[in-house]
Amino acid sequence: SNSSDESVGSIDDDEMSSLMGSRKKYSSRSDKSISALSTGVFANCICFLLFLGVFVFFGMRYQSSISEMENKIIELDARLSSEESRTAKLELDIGEHQKVIDRFNNITTNKELSDKVDSLEHEFVNTTTFLVKEVNDTKESLEQEMTEIVEKVEQETTNTTEK
């Protein structure tokens, strides 16, 4: 009875292994699907991480490039300010130099000065000659008048003494 009970309700080893074998086949397929799915998810994660890394890398390079450009702009702005300052100073210097040049342009040349001195010397000689002649003429005229006055006074004195 024991053996009949076992045969009715029990599964022998062959049946069990055939049942388990099909389950193993199903389980093997499922494991392969899960394994493939896990590999796909893993590959997607790696691709995403690589994409994220590349994106961060180029983002940092872009930020670094912008930072370098900002530094260059600041440097160029400082140089421009310096050049504008130098240009303004040079314009002031040029203005001062132009004043000196204009002053020299208004001054007569050495030849003109020499000609002017010669002209003044000639005029001086002529004026001196004229004045000396005038003084001599006036002196002669005064001497003559004095002589006449003295003669008149002598004649008057002689006439008054004779009377």
Side-chain angles (χ1 to χ4, degrees):
S1 103
N2 211 4
S3 75
S4 68
D5 283 340
E6 274 182 36
S7 57
V8 173
S10 68
I11 303 177
D12 67 1
D13 287 336
D14 289 335
E15 285 180 317
M16 183 65 106
S17 81
S18 76
L19 284 174
M20 288 300 277
S22 67
R23 182 164 186 220
K24 277 187 176 181
K25 288 180 186 175
Y26 178 74
S27 174
S28 170
R29 261 191 233 152
S30 174
D31 287 345
K32 286 182 183 176
S33 297
I34 290 173
S35 174
L37 184 62
S38 294
T39 305
V41 168
F42 182 70
N44 285 342
C45 285
I46 289 189
C47 286
F48 176 74
L49 288 175
L50 283 173
F51 173 75
L52 187 61
V54 168
F55 183 74
V56 167
F57 173 76
F58 282 111
M60 289 174 58
R61 292 235 7 208
Y62 177 74
Q63 186 65 30
S64 173
S65 175
I66 286 177
S67 183
E68 286 177 19
M69 283 189 224
E70 286 175 345
N71 288 339
K72 282 187 179 186
I73 287 172
I74 290 169
E75 179 185 332
L76 288 174
D77 190 41
R79 284 178 58 194
L80 178 63
S81 294
S82 173
E83 292 299 321
E84 285 174 342
S85 173
R86 284 182 55 206
T87 301
K89 184 182 179 314
L90 287 174
E91 286 175 350
L92 289 174
D93 287 348
I94 288 171
E96 292 298 316
H97 289 261
Q98 189 61 46
K99 287 178 186 175
V100 171
I101 289 170
D102 290 344
R103 235 180 320 170
F104 277 110
N105 285 339
N106 290 332
I107 293 176
T108 54
T109 64
N110 286 341
K111 173 137 177 47
E112 291 171 332
L113 286 174
S114 178
D115 291 345
K116 184 70 173 174
V117 167
D118 289 344
S119 170
L120 288 173
E121 284 178 344
H122 181 69
E123 190 176 323
F124 176 74
V125 168
N126 287 342
T127 303
T128 304
T129 305
F130 173 76
L131 288 175
V132 167
K133 184 179 180 295
E134 284 292 312
V135 167
N136 285 336
D137 287 348
T138 304
K139 182 180 170 188
E140 287 178 9
S141 173
L142 283 174
E143 284 178 347
Q144 189 177 8
E145 282 185 38
M146 287 291 284
T147 305
E148 288 176 6
I149 290 176
V150 168
E151 286 178 358
K152 260 185 175 180
V153 167
E154 282 181 357
Q155 196 175 20
E156 284 289 320
T157 357
T158 20
N159 280 344
T160 337
T161 33
E162 286 182 4
K163 287 185 189 185

